[in-house]
């Protein structure tokens, strides 16, 4: 019996020994993790600033009436192409009763003044002919008569304009709104029958239509304060329109704002650029666009992928891990050049033949073993 127990205990201990050996073996093999490596390579790097914005016409004119009234007829539609001087709309004048009464009163006052000046002139003319008064007194009365006549005519003209909208118009006269530039009708915010207000020193007036030359477009966007110092007016850039399948248009940077505006905690500066648009291209005002401004470029420089970089948590200096002959890795600090966001130039610290650890990605074989376990 004792012999049997000893055999069983021996078998159990042997099994435990085998299990312990296998456990430590698996643990040791799992702790040795193999990483992928990548080598530096020579490439060209172009750094650029990307500004988001919109494409708008350089010339955009709002047509406004010079007299209040009602839109009687609109001659064009949105999207129509017009020439300078084309008739856009007609405004029917609806006279204000109070203004008419005031204008009529001014006519009566001017008429009384004229009648009085005429009487004085006739009297002085007779006295001058008899030699009673001097020539200067006679000429003064003649001047007063002419001034009174001018005031009377002006009062009559004002009354005519208020009542009919023009000096020559009839009872249903219209004020014509004409295009001031050749271009495309972008917007007609009013409809026939709408009341409109004249444009003057105290009121912007009602916009009848907006006309723009779509062959002269400008890009207007914003860039961050960290990049605005690198921009130069007159520099050639590219404007990309997403609405036209990422089509690129050459442009010229014409304006960089001297003052920034804070937006969402970041200071943004407005930039503008003249865009060269082909006449055959159908551009619409307000298209979203991106401006790509090339800042610096280098050809055939030693680069690595920017994702290979690591940073010391204390000094924040960049480094990479280089594979040694015994398959271990050694940290090496590097000096960096320009970057395009994917690749970064290496000035010092890495050679072309070095194998750099892809620190965030283990080898496929190691990953496969991990999944199997």
């Amino acid at each position: 019996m004792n012999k049997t127990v000893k055999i069983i205990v021996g078998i159990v201990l042997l099994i435990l020994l085998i299990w312990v050996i296998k456990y430590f073996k698996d643990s040791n093999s799992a702790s040795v993790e193999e990483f992928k490596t990548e080598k530096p390579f020579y490439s060209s790097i172009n750094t650029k600033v990307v500004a988001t914005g919109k494409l708008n016409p350089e010339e955009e004119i709002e047509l406004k009436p010079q007299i209040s009234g009602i839109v009687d007829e609109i001659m064009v539609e949105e999207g129509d192409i017009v020439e300078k001087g084309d008739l856009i709309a007609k405004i029917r004048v609806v006279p204000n009763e109070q203004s008419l009464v005031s204008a009529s009163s001014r006519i009566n006052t001017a008429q009384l003044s004229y009648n009085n000046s005429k009487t004085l002139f006739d009297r002085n003319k007779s006295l001058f002919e008899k030699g009673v008064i001097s020539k200067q007194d006679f000429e003064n009365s003649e001047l007063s008569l002419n001034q009174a006549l001018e005031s009377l005519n002006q009062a009559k003209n004002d009354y005519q304009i208020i009542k009919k909208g023009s000096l020559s118009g009839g009872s249903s006269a219209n004020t014509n709104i004409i295009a001031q530039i050749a271009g495309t009708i972008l917007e007609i915010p009013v409809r026939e029958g709408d009341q409109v207000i004249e444009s003057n020193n105290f009121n912007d007036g009602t916009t009848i239509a907006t006309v723009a030359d779509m062959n002269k477009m400008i890009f207007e966007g914003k860039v961050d304060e960290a990049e605005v110092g690198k921009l130069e007016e007159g520099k050639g850039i590219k404007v990309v329109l997403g609405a036209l399948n990422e089509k690129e248009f050459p442009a010229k940077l014409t304006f960089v704002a001297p003052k920034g505006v804070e937006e969402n905690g970041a200071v943004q500066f407005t930039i503008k650029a003249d865009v060269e648009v082909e006449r055959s291209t159908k551009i619409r005002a307000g298209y979203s666009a991106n401006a790509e401004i090339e800042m610096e470029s280098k050809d055939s420089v030693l680069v690595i992928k920017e994702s290979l970089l690591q940073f010391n948590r204390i000094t924040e200096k960049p480094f990479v891990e280089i594979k040694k002959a015994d398959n271990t890795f050694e940290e090496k600090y590097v000096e960096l050049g320009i970057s395009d966001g994917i690749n970064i130039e290496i000035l010092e610290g890495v050679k072309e033949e070095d194998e750099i650890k892809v620190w965030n990605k283990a080898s496929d074989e190691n990953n496969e073993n991990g999944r199997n376990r």
Side-chain angles (χ1 to χ4, degrees):
M1 184 69 179
N2 292 335
K3 187 177 180 180
T4 304
V5 172
K6 290 180 179 180
I7 293 174
I8 294 174
V9 172
I11 293 173
V12 171
L13 291 175
L14 181 61
I15 293 173
L16 288 174
L17 180 61
I18 295 173
W19 182 84
V20 169
I21 293 173
K22 185 177 184 304
Y23 173 79
F24 281 106
K25 182 179 178 181
D26 291 342
S27 298
N28 291 334
S29 63
S31 63
V32 178
E33 191 173 17
E34 294 184 4
F35 284 87
K36 284 187 173 182
T37 59
E38 292 185 4
K39 289 186 176 183
F41 57 95
Y42 284 91
S43 179
S44 299
I45 293 185
N46 298 317
T47 61
K48 60 185 178 182
V49 173
V50 178
T52 59
K54 291 185 177 180
L55 208 61
N56 291 313
E58 182 178 0
E59 290 185 274
E60 188 171 324
I61 306 297
E62 292 183 346
L63 304 180
K64 300 176 182 290
Q66 297 303 309
I67 194 165
S68 299
I70 292 176
V71 179
D72 193 46
E73 186 177 4
I74 298 176
M75 318 300 295
V76 295
E77 295 181 354
E78 293 178 353
D80 287 353
I81 298 176
V82 297
E83 298 295 331
K84 183 177 180 179
D86 285 354
L87 182 62
I88 303 299
K90 293 182 179 181
I91 306 298
R92 185 175 74 252
V93 177
V94 179
N96 180 278
E97 187 173 351
Q98 183 178 2
S99 299
L100 279 176
V101 171
S102 297
S104 178
S105 177
R106 288 196 295 271
I107 291 176
N108 294 334
T109 301
Q111 185 68 57
L112 291 173
S113 178
Y114 173 75
N115 292 340
N116 183 61
S117 297
K118 183 69 168 62
T119 300
L120 292 175
F121 173 77
D122 291 340
R123 182 188 303 160
N124 289 339
K125 182 179 181 182
S126 176
L127 293 175
F128 174 69
E129 290 174 350
K130 293 177 181 180
V132 177
I133 62 173
S134 65
K135 184 178 180 180
Q136 182 177 357
D137 291 337
F138 170 70
E139 289 177 346
N140 287 339
S141 64
E142 186 179 21
L143 176 62
S144 298
L145 176 64
N146 292 334
Q147 289 175 337
L149 179 60
E150 182 65 24
S151 297
L152 177 60
N153 291 334
Q154 182 63 47
K156 290 179 178 179
N157 290 340
D158 290 343
Y159 180 83
Q160 181 78 358
I161 292 173
I162 292 173
K163 184 177 181 180
K164 300 179 180 179
S166 66
L167 293 177
S168 58
S171 59
S172 59
N174 298 294
T175 298
N176 294 338
I177 306 297
I178 62 174
Q180 302 301 317
I181 62 170
T184 303
I185 302 295
L186 296 185
E187 184 182 14
I188 303 177
V190 297
R191 295 292 179 264
E192 293 181 2
D194 288 353
Q195 187 171 0
V196 294
I197 302 173
E198 65 181 286
S199 175
N200 52 43
N201 293 334
F202 308 101
N203 198 314
D204 289 338
T206 305
T207 300
I208 302 298
T210 303
V211 185
D213 185 354
M214 301 300 287
N215 294 318
K216 298 179 181 179
M217 305 295 289
I218 62 172
F219 168 83
E220 184 172 350
K222 294 183 178 181
V223 296
D224 190 80
E225 61 178 328
E227 300 168 331
V228 71
K230 306 172 186 176
L231 304 182
E232 296 179 3
E233 295 181 3
K235 187 179 182 65
I237 66 174
K238 290 190 301 183
V239 173
V240 182
L241 296 184
L244 298 181
N245 298 321
E246 303 296 326
K247 187 169 183 178
E248 297 180 356
F249 295 89
K252 183 179 181 181
L253 190 63
T254 58
F255 174 78
V256 180
K259 181 180 179 180
V261 178
E262 186 172 348
E263 295 181 2
N264 300 322
V267 179
Q268 302 288 320
F269 288 79
T270 298
I271 65 169
K272 295 180 181 179
D274 291 337
V275 183
E276 298 179 17
V277 179
E278 303 170 0
R279 291 187 176 272
S280 58
T281 305
K282 293 183 179 180
I283 298 291
R284 301 183 185 275
Y287 268 160
S288 296
N290 291 329
E292 296 182 359
I293 309 169
E294 187 173 306
M295 304 307 301
E296 186 178 2
S297 95
K298 290 185 177 180
D299 294 328
S300 299
V301 293
L302 188 65
V303 301
I304 64 170
K305 290 183 179 179
E306 198 163 338
S307 59
L308 299 178
L309 287 177
Q310 301 182 62
F311 292 87
N312 187 295
R313 293 184 179 180
I314 299 175
T315 63
E316 296 186 356
K317 291 184 177 180
F319 68 90
V320 294
E321 294 186 60
I322 304 296
K323 189 175 183 179
K324 296 164 59 177
D326 59 356
N327 291 332
T328 60
F329 291 91
E330 175 188 9
E331 292 184 1
K332 277 195 177 181
Y333 287 93
V334 294
E335 186 177 345
L336 306 177
I338 63 174
S339 168
D340 60 6
I342 299 175
N343 298 324
I344 188 166
E345 180 187 9
I346 298 297
L347 300 177
E348 188 177 336
V350 172
K351 296 178 290 186
E352 185 179 3
E353 62 271 13
D354 289 339
E355 295 185 29
I356 301 173
K357 174 182 176 181
V358 183
W359 58 272
N360 57 355
K361 189 174 183 181
S363 67
D364 293 337
E365 181 181 353
N366 193 71
N367 290 337
E368 185 65 30
N369 294 333
R371 284 193 296 269
N372 292 335
R373 285 197 296 271

